[in-house]
Amino acid sequence: MDDIILMLIAGIIGLAIGVAGMSAYRESQNRRSLLAEKVEAELPPGSIEVLSIVGRAFVVVDEIDGVVRANPSAYAYGLVRGHTLVHPELVELAHRVRAHGVIEEKQFELSRGPLGQGTIVVHVRVAALGDEFILLLADDRTEITRTEAIRTDFVANVSHELKTPVGAIMLLGEAMDDAAGDEVAIRRFAGRLQKESARLKALVQDIIELSRLQGTNVVVQGKPVDINDVVAEAVDRTKLTADNKNITLSMGLAKEPAMVFGDQELLTTAFKNLIDNAIRYSPEDTAVGVGVRVKDSLVQVSVTDRGPGIPVEEQERIFERFYRVDEARDRQTGGTGLGLSIVKHVVSNHGGEVTVWSQINSGSTFTVRLPELEDAGVPQGKGAEIKGTLSAPGEGGRP
């Protein structure tokens, strides 16, 4: 009997708690609704409609810096969490506008998440909204800022790189004028002049290639391309350079058509740069191998050299514009510092990737992987002949 009474009492208490909880929840919802109606009533007429179409992240804060309105972009940018304006810099800006009534705008680099991982560059414009509220409008400038930094860095690097051969040509011209009666000196200066002129020509050509690359829309202008043909043409264009160092070019094409979708001339330029880079850093009387194969819906091209190799800590940076592992050696070999950058941009624009395997004193292998274009209507058997003696890429412990 006592147990039954205790169960009835517990049930009554549980019911009471449940009813109280529901009442509190409804009261809270009513207060939220009344608060929202009050806020909307106090905001200047039409402001909500205008804010909904401005196309920017916006936050409206009250006199105690509580967030009373914010759109999804403000939350996505990490400016607002719950009903709080996250960053002290924005709160301080709102305080100044509230105190002086003058519109202010400023650009900030702010943390994007609660743990400070990742940043966002935002341009913020702050103004009073009615008598009680402050409006913050924010534009995401992260990508624009990054692009401007790259452009500024590129222009500075180009200016520096152009000064060297141009200055050398001027000095050599003066030296030739001073040594007009010395035939041996004239010949020596003329040889140097030709070398610097060739270097200047190569640099200008690479800059033009980069500009053309950035202006090409592969999706719109592309068409089916057989990488077998592209690689064969790239090898042909580098034969003279290889012959000058007595380097053997070994080429192995895929037995089947290696079809991708893209710009044939850009792809040829990229593979020419990759092969030319291998030749430049290979010792005389060695070999450079170029192989093509199709596997797992990917077209893979590997270029292998027997050069000095690339230190592990440098391998991530070799695709940057104007970056050189050994600047003195690169100038001696005539490199512009743009060849591998062009390779990376072309491959990325075709939806592929380029990687490098390298070991000091053992050479390097650069591997390009591009998505295969299937059912391209190319007759089977094209490119079936294997040329050269290169083993399939990936053999011998290389990627």
Side-chain angles (χ1 to χ4, degrees):
M1 186 68 178
D2 292 338
D3 291 341
I4 295 174
I5 293 173
L6 288 173
M7 290 175 63
L8 287 173
I9 293 172
I12 293 170
I13 293 173
L15 180 61
I17 292 173
V19 170
M22 287 297 295
S23 299
Y25 174 76
R26 286 175 181 171
E27 180 65 21
S28 173
Q29 290 296 101
N30 290 334
R31 286 180 180 176
R32 286 178 180 269
S33 178
L34 289 172
L35 179 60
E37 290 176 4
K38 181 177 183 293
V39 168
E40 290 196 10
E42 291 177 350
L43 288 173
S47 59
I48 299 301
E49 290 77 6
V50 172
L51 290 174
S52 65
I53 61 173
V54 293
R56 299 182 185 181
F58 73 81
V59 183
V60 179
V61 296
D62 58 21
E63 66 275 6
I64 56 172
D65 301 323
V67 175
V68 296
R69 278 278 178 174
N71 64 351
S73 295
Y75 286 92
Y77 291 173
L79 306 181
V80 177
R81 196 172 305 124
H83 295 282
T84 304
L85 195 58
V86 174
H87 303 284
E89 301 94 329
L90 301 184
V91 175
E92 182 184 349
L93 202 58
H95 286 175
R96 290 208 303 265
V97 172
R98 183 177 291 112
H100 305 295
V102 179
I103 295 175
E104 291 202 26
E105 54 185 310
K106 194 171 181 181
Q107 187 158 295
F108 299 97
E109 183 174 356
L110 305 171
S111 61
R112 193 157 200 161
L115 301 178
Q117 297 177 347
T119 60
I120 182 172
V121 178
V122 290
H123 181 268
V124 182
R125 186 177 176 87
V126 184
L129 185 63
D131 296 329
E132 300 180 27
F133 302 102
I134 298 295
L135 170 67
L136 297 90
L137 294 175
D139 269 336
D140 183 359
R141 298 289 182 89
T142 309
E143 187 62 26
I144 294 173
T145 303
R146 187 186 71 84
T147 302
E148 287 177 351
I150 290 174
R151 184 185 298 113
T152 301
D153 184 56
F154 179 66
V155 170
N157 282 329
V158 166
S159 301
H160 173 73
E161 294 293 329
L162 285 172
K163 282 179 182 178
T164 304
V166 169
I169 289 171
M170 290 177 63
L171 289 174
L172 286 167
E174 293 174 3
M176 291 176 71
D177 186 53
D178 293 339
D182 188 343
E183 185 176 344
V184 175
I186 289 291
R187 289 183 179 277
R188 186 173 71 252
F189 292 145
R192 289 283 307 278
L193 189 62
Q194 289 178 353
K195 185 176 180 180
E196 292 296 336
S197 298
R199 183 177 161 202
L200 180 60
K201 178 184 176 183
L203 179 58
V204 171
Q205 185 61 40
D206 279 352
I207 293 171
I208 292 171
E209 289 293 345
L210 264 181
S211 299
R212 190 166 72 88
L213 166 62
Q214 292 170 343
T216 301
N217 188 329
V218 173
V219 174
V220 175
Q221 302 177 24
K223 59 183 180 180
V225 177
D226 189 348
I227 292 298
N228 284 322
D229 296 337
V230 169
V231 168
E233 176 64 22
V235 168
D236 187 64
R237 294 186 187 183
T238 53
K239 276 184 177 178
L240 182 60
T241 307
D243 289 344
N244 289 337
K245 295 184 67 175
N246 198 29
I247 288 176
T248 302
L249 290 177
S250 299
M251 178 173 63
L253 301 184
K255 293 182 178 181
E256 68 276 11
M259 303 303 298
V260 302
F261 184 82
D263 185 298
Q264 182 157 346
E265 185 57 34
L266 283 180
L267 287 167
T268 302
T269 298
F271 288 116
K272 173 189 172 295
N273 285 355
L274 210 51
I275 298 168
D276 189 64
N277 184 76
I279 294 170
R280 183 179 298 117
Y281 287 99
S282 292
E284 294 185 0
D285 305 315
T286 57
V288 169
V290 186
V292 183
R293 71 172 177 176
V294 181
K295 184 180 180 181
D296 299 329
S297 298
L298 291 174
V299 175
Q300 178 174 297
V301 181
S302 295
V303 178
T304 302
D305 64 58
R306 294 292 180 265
I310 306 166
V312 174
E313 63 273 14
E314 306 284 352
Q315 292 177 19
E316 290 292 324
R317 302 197 59 192
I318 57 174
F319 296 101
E320 295 178 14
R321 293 170 179 174
F322 298 112
Y323 185 77
R324 296 180 172 93
V325 176
D326 185 342
E327 197 157 322
R329 176 181 172 84
D330 210 51
R331 293 189 188 282
Q332 185 180 2
T333 58
T336 65
L338 286 173
L340 291 180
S341 175
I342 291 173
V343 172
K344 182 177 180 179
H345 277 76
V346 171
V347 172
S348 296
N349 283 1
H350 284 77
E353 65 170 2
V354 56
T355 57
V356 61
W357 174 95
S358 188
Q359 191 171 3
I360 299 299
N361 299 323
S362 296
S364 306
T365 294
F366 287 83
T367 303
V368 172
R369 297 178 182 87
L370 297 167
E372 181 188 13
L373 178 64
E374 299 178 357
D375 301 324
V378 179
Q380 294 298 312
K382 182 180 180 183
E385 180 184 359
I386 297 294
K387 303 179 181 180
T389 58
L390 181 70
S391 60
E395 296 180 1
R398 294 184 179 237

